[in-house]
Amino acid sequence: MKYLIITLIALMLSVNCNAQKFNLKNKKQQVEWTGKAAFKAYSLTGTLTLEKGTIQITDNMITKLEIIVNMKSLDHDNSDLKSHLRSADFFDVNQYKKAVFKLVKPVDIGGKTITLNGMMTIKNKTNEENIKAVLTQNGNTIKLSFDHKMDRTTYNIKYNSPSFFKSLKQNAIADEFALKGTINFEN
């Protein structure tokens, strides 16, 4: 019996020793967002700043990943557009200050491209997102690069959506927007 307990404790300690936790390399990292018109060719790009991020690698698997975005950092060169995107018509950043992505399923990092299956929360609405990414690890640094498209209407952001306002033409804004970037972690 003693041997079994000692073996279990040793096994648990060895599992914990194989886990590496990485945090955001710096707190000023940004990702890009891009939105576009539904029926015209123009698109607009701005930035969001990451507030916090952690990733845990255990035995060549991502076992934990959480990214917190500071929604009050939503930025664009056009100050009127920036104010409108921050308003209740879109992201309502005064009420919903953060967006969060949490991994819900471990990911084998053996291949070049991985899929991060997780839950994204924006404006208190949570939806499953499967984000294709490239993970590169160099010593104590991890880079996670992605270019992900998502539907804003699933997060209750319906302003000028052609899916909800059928008569819109020139003012319609595409439901799909993109988040793109490289997130740097270190341990």
Side-chain angles (χ1 to χ4, degrees), residues 30-167:
Q30 295 183 327
V31 295
E32 287 183 352
W33 58 263
T34 300
K36 59 182 184 171
F39 304 114
K40 290 184 179 181
Y42 79 86
S43 65
L44 303 166
T45 299
T47 59
L48 288 160
T49 301
L50 304 180
E51 184 173 298
K52 186 177 178 185
T54 57
I55 187 170
Q56 182 172 305
I57 308 290
T58 307
D59 296 328
N60 216 33
M61 302 276 289
I62 300 173
T63 53
K64 292 182 183 178
L65 173 65
E66 181 177 32
I67 305 293
I68 299 173
V69 178
N70 176 354
M71 292 305 294
K72 292 187 97 171
S73 73
L74 191 149
D75 202 9
H76 188 270
D77 292 339
N78 180 313
S79 61
D80 290 337
L81 175 62
K82 177 169 68 174
S83 294
H84 195 200
L85 289 172
R86 290 179 173 191
S87 77
D89 283 345
F90 286 94
F91 293 96
D92 198 1
V93 301
N94 287 325
Q95 183 171 352
Y96 306 103
K97 295 171 177 55
K98 298 176 184 182
V100 178
F101 177 82
K102 285 186 181 182
L103 189 73
V104 294
K105 184 175 161 188
V107 179
D108 184 346
I109 59 173
K112 180 150 175 77
T113 301
I114 59 174
T115 300
L116 302 168
N117 179 288
M119 300 305 284
M120 178 78 79
T121 302
I122 300 173
K123 289 182 72 174
N124 269 358
K125 301 287 182 194
T126 302
N127 295 297
E128 183 178 350
E129 296 286 344
N130 295 305
I131 301 173
K132 297 244 185 262
V134 174
L135 183 139
T136 54
Q137 186 172 1
N138 186 5
N140 68 341
T141 304
I142 288 181
K143 290 184 180 188
L144 192 60
S145 301
F146 60 94
D147 187 352
H148 180 65
K149 292 177 178 40
M150 49 199 295
D151 184 347
R152 67 186 172 99
T153 64
T154 63
Y155 297 97
N156 204 26
I157 304 166
K158 299 175 182 172
Y159 183 83
N160 282 10
S161 165
S163 299
F164 292 88
F165 305 99
K166 303 293 184 196
S167 63

Side-chain angles (χ1 to χ4, degrees), residues 163-178:
S163 299
F164 292 88
F165 305 99
K166 303 293 184 196
S167 63
L168 287 175
K169 293 291 181 218
Q170 65 202 32
N171 294 327
I173 301 167
D175 293 342
E176 188 176 78
F177 72 101

